[in-house]
Amino acid sequence: MEVVFLEEFGKDVQELFASFNEQPIAAASLAQVHRAVLKDGQEVAVKVQYPGLQEQFSTDIATMAVLSKALAWLFPDYQFEWLVPEFEKGSLKELDFIQEADNAERSAKSFAHKHGVRIPRIFRELSTRRVLTMQFMEGCKVDDISSLEKAGVDPKEVAASLVDIFAEMIFCHGFVHGDPHPGNLLVYRDPSRSGKHNFDIVILDHGLYRDLDEKFRENFCRFWRALVLLDEDEILETGRNLGAGQYARYLPVIFTGRGISSKASFGQGMTPEEQKVMREEVRRFTMGDVSEWLQGLDREFLTVLRTDGLVRSIANRLGASRKERLMAYVKNAVLGLSLQHPGEPSLYEQGLIAYTRAKLDYVHLRFRLEVYELLFAAYKWYGALYRQLAQLYDKLSLGRTKTPISMIAS
């Protein structure tokens, strides 16, 4: 640690900080974080990159490239050589703490309109490519349910807020945090607030972000709108635009748990019959099919898949329902379609007309969904009741009909 400070600032920690705890409060593969106090008394967290890491990284990448080429030669169906340069590109960004500082400040600006989100302030004068000094943030880990309940915070409300934040990143900002695991997310209980929304989500570690291409963002918004409307043609078209090609029909399963032609209620999984059909289709896939599909997807899509998977996992642990999570995505997708200035989804930036149009579009979409689900529930209830009545009629008729009505009802 001393070596890094001397190389970056030409000074040791005693000259830069009023106090510095040498025992790290967190450690990961690239760096460790220390608690410190500035000369003016502000408490900060200091992220220090391990010495020699940049040099070691070059060797590791070269090794991975050689192994990847060898695998591709041994197994022709292996078509994942593109993963190495993707990994290299992302890791180089994470190794540059100036890039992380830029990401944090850009994300903070995007969320300036939104209550309940905290992003640490960066102290530029004490930050370099290998040292990052930021505001120290209090809070418990986002998936620590016992600590949340002890603090009087509803875990389900945390889940709803978390999903909404990351959905806004994807559909509205077009600038997505690529590593939202529980270690990078805290919940701060705000003593000045009461009621259900008495907390803030603290987002840490802004080293890995992905800028979404504007065309990709619009297609992804359209894709989610089509999922609600059960518009199979639109799902297939937007899926192909996202790079899924002939596999576009399987995208609804990944995000909603139901097939493209499923008539199940939104937020519900597939029926046993649909699951059986899906298993038969997937069983015919080869490694070549899987690698072809992944290779064809836009690189932005892979980031979205990873982010969605991590957020979904946390939300499930916190007790959120699948439908609540999906509706948060739909709401932000509709808002994202109306944006005149992507990245700034506030009423002030977008204008009252665009913002109101987006809200009305969402209400209309939600109304159509509720009507469909009401009709679907009524249809199931009617079918069950009709079968019960048919069975009762069969018993009363004492078998006088050749074909029991209950069989016809089924």
Side-chain angles (χ1 to χ4, degrees), residues 116-153:
V117 184
R118 289 193 176 200
I119 294 172
R121 173 193 165 197
I122 304 298
F123 293 87
R124 290 280 185 172
E125 66 279 10
L126 289 171
S127 298
T128 68
R129 291 186 71 245
R130 295 196 295 163
V131 177
L132 183 64
T133 303
M134 64 201 117
Q135 176 187 6
F136 186 85
M137 306 297 279
E138 300 280 358
C140 66
K141 284 182 66 173
V142 70
D143 62 345
D144 187 347
I145 295 177
S146 61
S147 294
L148 291 174
E149 292 176 340
K150 187 176 180 181
V153 174

Side-chain angles (χ1 to χ4, degrees), residues 23-34 46-51 53 94-95 97 100 134 179 181-184 204-207 306:
Q23 187 67 31
I25 57 174
S29 55
L30 302 182
Q32 57 192 38
V33 181
H34 297 261
V46 186
K47 187 175 179 180
V48 187
Q49 194 174 118
Y50 298 125
L53 193 64
E94 286 194 273
L95 287 170
F97 289 172
E100 181 172 346
M134 64 201 117
D179 198 22
H181 63 75
N184 289 337
L204 306 174
D205 196 349
H206 299 268
R306 172 180 168 79

Side-chain angles (χ1 to χ4, degrees), residues 271-379:
T271 64
E273 293 77 15
E274 291 171 341
Q275 290 178 13
K276 182 179 179 181
V277 172
M278 183 62 64
R279 276 196 297 268
E280 289 299 320
E281 290 184 24
V282 172
R283 191 174 287 124
R284 293 193 292 269
F285 285 2
T286 66
M287 176 58 73
D289 293 326
V290 175
S291 59
E292 178 191 350
W293 176 61
L294 289 174
Q295 191 172 18
L297 287 174
D298 286 342
R299 298 296 171 256
E300 291 95 336
F301 202 105
L302 298 177
T303 299
V304 169
L305 279 175
R306 172 180 168 79
T307 299
D308 171 70
L310 289 168
V311 171
R312 183 192 312 183
S313 175
I314 296 171
N316 289 344
R317 267 179 274 172
L318 294 173
S321 73
R322 179 187 291 177
K323 184 177 179 180
E324 289 172 331
R325 177 176 59 81
L326 296 179
M327 289 311 302
Y329 273 51
V330 171
K331 180 188 74 173
N332 282 282
V334 172
L335 179 58
L337 278 174
S338 70
L339 295 186
Q340 297 174 0
H341 313 290
E344 300 171 335
S346 65
L347 175 62
Y348 174 76
E349 295 289 348
Q350 296 303 320
L352 182 60
I353 294 176
Y355 191 84
T356 303
R357 184 168 58 245
K359 290 295 184 181
L360 290 175
D361 193 14
Y362 173 68
V363 170
H364 175 243
L365 203 65
R366 187 71 186 255
F367 175 75
R368 288 181 63 172
L369 178 64
E370 295 297 339
V371 169
Y372 169 78
E373 293 191 340
L374 183 63
L375 291 173
F376 180 73
Y379 173 77

Side-chain angles (χ1 to χ4, degrees), residues 26-156:
S29 55
L30 302 182
Q32 57 192 38
V33 181
H34 297 261
R35 199 165 183 169
V37 178
L38 300 180
K39 297 290 186 179
D40 63 3
Q42 292 187 75
E43 197 170 15
V44 294
V46 186
K47 187 175 179 180
V48 187
Q49 194 174 118
Y50 298 125
L53 193 64
Q54 308 241 0
E55 294 76 12
Q56 183 63 45
F57 175 75
S58 299
T59 304
D60 290 344
I61 287 293
T63 304
M64 289 172 63
V66 170
L67 291 172
S68 183
K69 288 182 183 298
L71 277 173
W73 180 73
L74 289 169
F75 305 100
D77 278 347
Y78 177 88
Q79 300 172 25
F80 294 105
E81 289 182 76
W82 55 271
L83 279 174
V84 176
E86 276 295 308
F87 175 77
E88 181 179 14
K89 190 191 306 180
S91 297
L92 283 173
K93 289 180 180 179
E94 286 194 273
L95 287 170
D96 184 357
F97 289 172
I98 295 299
Q99 178 72 52
E100 181 172 346
D102 293 342
N103 292 342
E105 290 178 347
R106 179 177 169 184
S107 191
K109 181 182 177 182
S110 295
F111 279 117
H113 71 286
K114 195 178 188 75
H115 297 295
V117 184
R118 289 193 176 200
I119 294 172
R121 173 193 165 197
I122 304 298
F123 293 87
R124 290 280 185 172
E125 66 279 10
L126 289 171
S127 298
T128 68
R129 291 186 71 245
R130 295 196 295 163
V131 177
L132 183 64
T133 303
M134 64 201 117
Q135 176 187 6
F136 186 85
M137 306 297 279
E138 300 280 358
C140 66
K141 284 182 66 173
V142 70
D143 62 345
D144 187 347
I145 295 177
S146 61
S147 294
L148 291 174
E149 292 176 340
K150 187 176 180 181
V153 174
D154 185 348
K156 290 185 178 180

